Amino acid sequence: MLVSCVVYQHGKKVADIQANDIHRYIAEPGCFVWVALNNPSPEELALMQDEFDLHPLAVEDASHGEQRPKIEEYGDSLFAVLHMLEQENGELRVGAVHMFVGSNYILSVRRGVQRGFQDVRARAEREPELLERGSGYVLYALMDAVVDRYFPVIQSIEAELDRIEDQIFANKSARESIEQLYSLKQKLTATKHAVSPLLDALTNLSGTRVPHACLGMQEYFRDISDHLQRLNQSIETIRDTIATAISVNLSMITLQENETMKRLAAYAALIAVPTLIAGIYGMNFNYMPELMWKYGYFSSLGLMAIIDSYLFYKLRKAKWL
Amino acid sequence: MLVSCVVYQHGKKVADIQANDIHRYIAEPGCFVWVALNNPSPEELALMQDEFDLHPLAVEDASHGEQRPKIEEYGDSLFAVLHMLEQENGELRVGAVHMFVGSNYILSVRRGVQRGFQDVRARAEREPELLERGSGYVLYALMDAVVDRYFPVIQSIEAELDRIEDQIFANKSARESIEQLYSLKQKLTATKHAVSPLLDALTNLSGTRVPHACLGMQEYFRDISDHLQRLNQSIETIRDTIATAISVNLSMITLQENETMKRLAAYAALIAVPTLIAGIYGMNFNYMPELMWKYGYFSSLGLMAIIDSYLFYKLRKAKWL
Amino acid sequence: MLVSCVVYQHGKKVADIQANDIHRYIAEPGCFVWVALNNPSPEELALMQDEFDLHPLAVEDASHGEQRPKIEEYGDSLFAVLHMLEQENGELRVGAVHMFVGSNYILSVRRGVQRGFQDVRARAEREPELLERGSGYVLYALMDAVVDRYFPVIQSIEAELDRIEDQIFANKSARESIEQLYSLKQKLTATKHAVSPLLDALTNLSGTRVPHACLGMQEYFRDISDHLQRLNQSIETIRDTIATAISVNLSMITLQENETMKRLAAYAALIAVPTLIAGIYGMNFNYMPELMWKYGYFSSLGLMAIIDSYLFYKLRKAKWL
Amino acid sequence: MLVSCVVYQHGKKVADIQANDIHRYIAEPGCFVWVALNNPSPEELALMQDEFDLHPLAVEDASHGEQRPKIEEYGDSLFAVLHMLEQENGELRVGAVHMFVGSNYILSVRRGVQRGFQDVRARAEREPELLERGSGYVLYALMDAVVDRYFPVIQSIEAELDRIEDQIFANKSARESIEQLYSLKQKLTATKHAVSPLLDALTNLSGTRVPHACLGMQEYFRDISDHLQRLNQSIETIRDTIATAISVNLSMITLQENETMKRLAAYAALIAVPTLIAGIYGMNFNYMPELMWKYGYFSSLGLMAIIDSYLFYKLRKAKWL
Amino acid sequence: MLVSCVVYQHGKKVADIQANDIHRYIAEPGCFVWVALNNPSPEELALMQDEFDLHPLAVEDASHGEQRPKIEEYGDSLFAVLHMLEQENGELRVGAVHMFVGSNYILSVRRGVQRGFQDVRARAEREPELLERGSGYVLYALMDAVVDRYFPVIQSIEAELDRIEDQIFANKSARESIEQLYSLKQKLTATKHAVSPLLDALTNLSGTRVPHACLGMQEYFRDISDHLQRLNQSIETIRDTIATAISVNLSMITLQENETMKRLAAYAALIAVPTLIAGIYGMNFNYMPELMWKYGYFSSLGLMAIIDSYLFYKLRKAKWL
C-alpha cells in the first residue's frame, strides 16, 4: 500500500505525486522525493524498482520479509534493513523497514507493524532547514525513530524481569517463574537480533569513510550508534541476569525441597512417637503395671501430648516446622 | 560417476562431451566447460586431474571425503569445499561438494548426498546472459543452491526445539526431552560445521581483494555471505536456547521431585494419623471409658474420617495434593 | 543549580562571575572559565548552551540523565559523560557528571549525587602551576576524582562477598546468601557500567592521536586508564566469584538436603524398630511364652532401649546423626 | 640416543656420518644433513649445539622436556616444538619433538614417545625430487607426520564419548559416566595443548612473510594448518559435548532420584494401608461387630488384598511402580 | 630498608655506595648503579626520587602497594610492576616488586615478600660479560627470577587439585572438597592477576618497537613471554578443571543423595513388612485359626524372618543396600 509519495524542494513540500511520475521528479535537479510503502504488493515493489532504478538483489531482499538488519552500498545508493518492534498485550511483534536511499530520494518499505513514520515526516516538514540536507537527514530521522522505539521494549522486559525476581525470592510459583524467564529470554533474543547487527552496520556511517549520501551527518549517526550501544549493554545485562535468575531459581527450588523434607520429617516424628507409645501399651504381657492404674489410659495420652509438645517446641526452634 | 560434462559458448550449450576431450575444449578461447561428478572413483578423479591440470593437494582433499568448508586459491584457480546437508526420516545426512574453479571451467564433485545440481544448471541455461559471465557466476549459483538448502534444516531444528519446549513446560516425559535436546544439539553442531567456516572463507570473495575468477561478482557473494550470517545467527540462538532448555528442564525435574515429595508426605499423613488413633484404642488399659461405649468403635472410625477429611482439605489448599 | 562560576588567569582565581557574563570572559585571551552546575534546570542548561556555544546533541545528552560513559569530540571541544557512584545505607546510588571541555573553559554538570567537586577545585587552586595548564588538567583532575570514588564501592562489594562466602561455608541461611549474591551482582553491574565504557573511551586520550585540549597530558590520562583497568579486573574477578559462589551454594544446599535425609532416616529407624517390637508383643497368639514372664514387659522395654542405643551408636559413627 | 645422522646431496643419501663430523658437512655447499635424536643425554645435546652452532636459549628449551608447541626464529634458523601423542592401553602419553632447522640441516630431538620418524625418512628418500628442496620440505614432512598422528587420538576420544553417551541415556552407572567424562576431558585438554598453540605458530609459515627456509612451501604448510583447524574444531565440539553430557547426566541422576522417590512412596503405601486396617481391627472396643463374624478375619485379609491390588494397579498406571 | 646499593663498571662491581651519592655515580659515563630496596619508608623512596630523578606518578605508584603488573615508559626510562608470589603453610602471599629502569641504573623496590634477589645479583656478578649489557639485562634477570618463582605455585595448585579430584571420586568429604575447590580458585585468581597483565605488557619488550634500554634483548624477553604463556595456559586449564570439578562434585552429591534415599527405602521396607504381619496377628477377630496353633507365634516370627531375608537378598542384588 502506498502511504505517501511527496516531492520536496529546498526542504519544503511541493506536491503529492503519482507513483509512476517518480522517475520524472528524481531526474529534476533540486527535487527530493520521499516515498513510504506499507506491506506493498509485488506489483507495487516492481513499479518502484522501475521508477527508482533499484538494484534487483536489494529489491529481492525487500520482497522477502525476513532479513537481518544491515546497511549495504549498491554503487552510489544505500540499502538499509531495520527491524521494528511493537508490543501488544505482552506479545512482541517483529516487523521490518527496508530503506532505499539515493542522492535525492528515499523509499521506505514497512512490513508487519502498525505504527508508521507520519510523525517523523511531520517533524521533518516543520524543520525545512534540516530537511533540505536531503536523503542523509531523512535516513537519520527514520533510523532514529525506529531505534527510539526499541527503548520501551527493553524497559518492559526489565520491568517484567524485576517482577519475576520478586516472585523468585518470595518463593512463589517457581514453575511460573521458569516459564516466564524462558519466554522473556525469547523476547530479549528478538530485540538483540534487531539491535546487534545494526550496531555493526552503523560503524560504516559514523566512521571516516562514509557513503556519499551521509556526508556531514556523522555526528548524527554516531548519536544513533550511541543509543544502540546503550541498548546493547542493557540487553547483555538482562541476558546475564536471566541466566543468573534461572540458576538462582534452581537453588531456591532445591532449598524449598530441603524444607519440605524437614517438615515432612518433623510431622512424621510427631505422629510416630505417640504411635510407638500406643504400640507399647497395646502389648499383651500378663504383668504390665501401668495397665492396672486407674488413670493409666489418661496418663498415656498425657505422655503422648507432653512428648509431642516438647518435640514441636524443639522442631520449631530448629526451624524444621 | 560422471553426471554431466558440457561445453558452453557465450552462455549457450554447445555439446555434451567426453571426459577425455576436456583438455581440448578448455584450451579453446571462448569455451566454458562445466563438469559434474557424483561419488567419483579414484580413476575418474585422476582423469579429471589430468584433463584440468588440477593441483595435487586439492585433488587429495577431494578424494578424502572429510574436509572443513573452505575456499583456497591455488595460483589462478580456486578450490572450494562446502558441506551439503540432507534430511531423511528425522536423520541428518552430511555430504560435501568440492569445486575446482578455473578461468573457463568449473568441476563439481559431489559426495554422500542424493540431490544434485540439475536445477541450478537448468536455470543457468535459461539465463545465458548470466551464464556468459563464466566460472564466477556458476560458482555463485552452486554455492547459493547449497546454502539455500541449509535453511530447511535449521527450520526443522527450530520446529523440533519448539516441540520439546512445549513438552518441558507441560511436564511430560522429562527423560525424552533430555535425549531429544541432546540429539538436537548434535544436528545443530553438524549445521554449524557447514556454515561457520564457510562464512569465514567467503569474506575473501566479497571483500576488496578478490580472486580473478570472481571479479565483478562481489555483490552476489556478499548476498551468500549475508545468508550465511543469518544462518549463523539462528544457529547461535538455537545453541543458546538448547543450553537454557537443558537447565530449565533440570529445574522442572527438581520441581517435580519437590511435588512428588509433598504428595508422598501428604498421603503418608492421611494414613499415619488414623493408624495412631487405631493404636491408641488398641492399648490394653483396664480402664478406657471409650471402649465401653456402644458406638465407641463407630465413633473412632468417624473420628478418623473427620481428621482425614480436614487434613485432606488443608493439604489440597496448600497444593500438596 | 549553579554551584560556582569562576574565572582564572595564569592558574590564579580572578573573580566569581555571573553566568551571563561567561561569553565575554571566554572571548578574552588568557582567561580560563570553570563552571559547575548541579541538577540544572532546562533554563540554566539553555543559558550555558548560549554562553559557551555548545553543540545541541551534547546538550540534549546532558539534559537527559541516562547516558553511557563516553568521551566524544565535537569539533575542537570535548563532551565527556561519567557515572558517579555513591553508597548510602548499603544502597548504591548512580548519578552522572557531564563535562563540556573547550580550549579555555570547562563546564561540569552533576546529577543525582550529593558529593560535588569542591575538594578538586580547592586542590587545583592550591597548585596554580598545574591549573595553568588549563582545561586538559581540570578534566584530568575531575575524572581522577570520579574514578577514585569507585574504589570504596568495589571494596565494599568485596567485603560483602567475603561475608557471604563465610555464611555459605558455615552452612547458615542459604536463602539469604542467594538473595545477597543476587543483589550484589546488581551492584556490580552498575559499577561495571560506570567503568567499562569509560575505559574504552579513555584509550583516545592516552594514545597517540589526542584531542587538542589534552595535549601533553597523556601520562596523566594513562594513569586514570590504569586505575580503570585495575577496577575492571576486580569487577571481572568478583563477577566470576559470584557465579562460582552461586553454584557452590547450590552444592551446599544439596549436601544439606542429603544430610537432612540421613537424619530423617536415622530418627525414623530409632522409632520404627521399637514400634515393630511392640507390635510383635501385641499379637494375640494363644501361646506366646514371653507374655507369661513376670518381667516380660520390662524385658521388652529393655530390648527396645538396647537396640536403639546400638543403632544410635552406629548411626552417630556413620555421621547420619 | 643418536637414531640416525645422514648426509644428502641432490635429494640422495650420501653417507651415514659420525656426529662430530657434522660441522664439516654443513659447511660444504650442496650438502644437507638430517640428524635424529631420541631422549638425548645432556652431552649429546651439547655436542649438537657445538656442531650446528645452535642458539643457547633454544638448546635450553630442548633440554627441558616441558614446552608449549611453538615455532621461533633465531636469526636465519628456526626452532620448532611439537607435542607428540601416543595411546597405550587407554592411556595418553604426551611426548615432544624439538626441531632445529637451518638452511641446510635439520635436527629433530624426540622425547617421551616410542614411535619415531623412520617412515618419514624412508618416504622422503623414495622421493628425491622433494627431498632436494631441503630443510623446508623435511620440516613439513615431519610436522605433517606428527599432526597426522593426532587424528587417531581424537577419533578414540570421540568413540569413548559415544560410548559414555549411550551409558548415560541407558541410565546405567551414572557414577562411572561422571568419572569417565572427567578423565576424557583431561585427555582432550592434553590434545588441545598440542594442537592449539601450534595452529597459532603455523600462521607464520603459511602467510606472506615466511622464514627463509620455508620459502615456496606455503601451500604445504597451509595444508598442515588446515588439518590443525579441523582438529581444533573437533576438540571444540568434543569439549562442548562433554560439558553438555555432564549437565545432562546430572539431569538424569535427578530424574532417577525422582523415580526412586516415587517407588519408595508407592511401596510405602502398599504396606501402610494394610497396617492401618490391621490396626483398626486390633482396637479393643467392646462392641465391634466385624470381630464376631465367622469369616471376619479372612474378610479383613481380603480387604487388604483388594485395596493393595487396586493401589498397585493405579500406581503402575501412574508409572510410580 | 636499603638492601644493597652497588656501582658496576664494565660488568664488575666497583663499590658499595651510600644512597645519597647515587646522583654522582649515574652522572659518570660507564658507571651502572643497581639499587635494591625492601619495604622502603616514604623518606627512603623520596631520597631515591631525588637521586634518580624519577617521575612523580611512577613513585606514587611504587609507594602504594596495590598495582596491576605493568611496564610503562616515562620518557627514556621504564617503570615495571610485577607481582611476587610466596607460599607458606598452604597460604599464598602476594607481594610486588617495582622496578625503575634508566639507561645506566636499575632500582628495584620489593614489598610484602621475604625472598629477595640476592641470587640474581650473585649470578649476574659471576657473568660480567652479560652484566656489562647494563640495565636491559638486569631487568631481564630480575623478571626472569620473578616469573620462575610462579611455577612452583602453579605446581602446588595442580597437586592440590589432583588430591581434591581423588577425594571427589572416592566419595569422601564432599563438603570439604567444595571448600577446597573454592579456596583453590582464589589462589588461582591471585596467580592469574600476576601473570596475565604481565603477558600483555611484555609484548612491548619482545616486539619490533622496543624501549631503548631493552634493545638487543628481544630474544630474552620473548623467552620470559614464552614462560608466561605456558603459565597462562596452565591457569586456564586449571580454571576450567575447577569449574568442571565443582559441577562434577554436585553430580556426585546428588548421586549420593539418590543412594541414601534407596538405603532409607530399603531399611524402611525391612521394618515395615514385619510390622504389618505383627499388626495382622494383633487383630481381635474371634475366629483367627493361626492364633490357636501351638507354634503360631514362632511361625509368625519365622515368616517375618523369611520375608525379610528375601527382601534383603533382592535389595542387595538391586544395589539398594
Side-chain angles (χ1 to χ4, degrees), chain A residues 66-81:
Chain A
E66 240 182 285
Q67 290 293 325
R68 296 173 65 246
K70 62 181 172 185
I71 299 171
E72 286 179 343
E73 290 181 65
Y74 286 98
D76 278 348
S77 68
L78 281 178
F79 174 60
V81 180

Side-chain angles (χ1 to χ4, degrees), chain E residues 4-54:
Chain E
S4 58
C5 181
V6 184
V7 177
Y8 298 88
Q9 228 166 0
H10 305 304
K12 281 180 192 144
K13 182 169 175 172
V14 177
D16 284 290
I17 60 170
Q18 291 298 312
N20 46 21
D21 287 340
I22 291 171
H23 65 276
R24 296 206 341 246
Y25 285 93
I26 60 172
E28 239 168 85
C31 274
F32 173 69
V33 181
W34 180 357
V35 182
L37 294 178
N38 183 16
N39 293 322
S41 64
E43 295 74 33
E44 284 176 308
L45 218 51
L47 175 61
M48 290 299 154
Q49 180 169 3
D50 287 352
E51 294 292 322
F52 286 113
D53 189 25
L54 305 171

Side-chain angles (χ1 to χ4, degrees), chain B residues 7 47 58 65 81 109 113 121 154 156 178 189 231 240 258-259 279:
Chain B
V7 177
L47 174 63
V81 180
V109 180
V113 284
R121 191 185 286 263
I154 282 291
S156 92
I178 301 171
T189 301
L231 284 163
D240 191 37
N258 203 346
E259 280 162 19

Side-chain angles (χ1 to χ4, degrees), chain E residues 81-98:
Chain E
V81 180
L82 279 81
H83 284 190
M84 295 185 76
L85 304 177
E86 253 180 21
Q87 290 182 294
E88 209 176 78
N89 304 327
E91 293 297 306
L92 192 64
R93 191 189 300 137
V94 180
V97 60
H98 300 81

Side-chain angles (χ1 to χ4, degrees), chain B residues 70 175 182 257 281 297, chain D residues 165 171 226 257 284 290:
Chain B
K70 63 181 172 186
R175 176 182 304 271
Y182 200 88
E257 191 178 59
Y281 290 112
Y297 171 51
Chain D
E165 285 170 6
N171 242 337
D226 201 63
E257 191 178 57
N284 294 320
E290 297 94 322

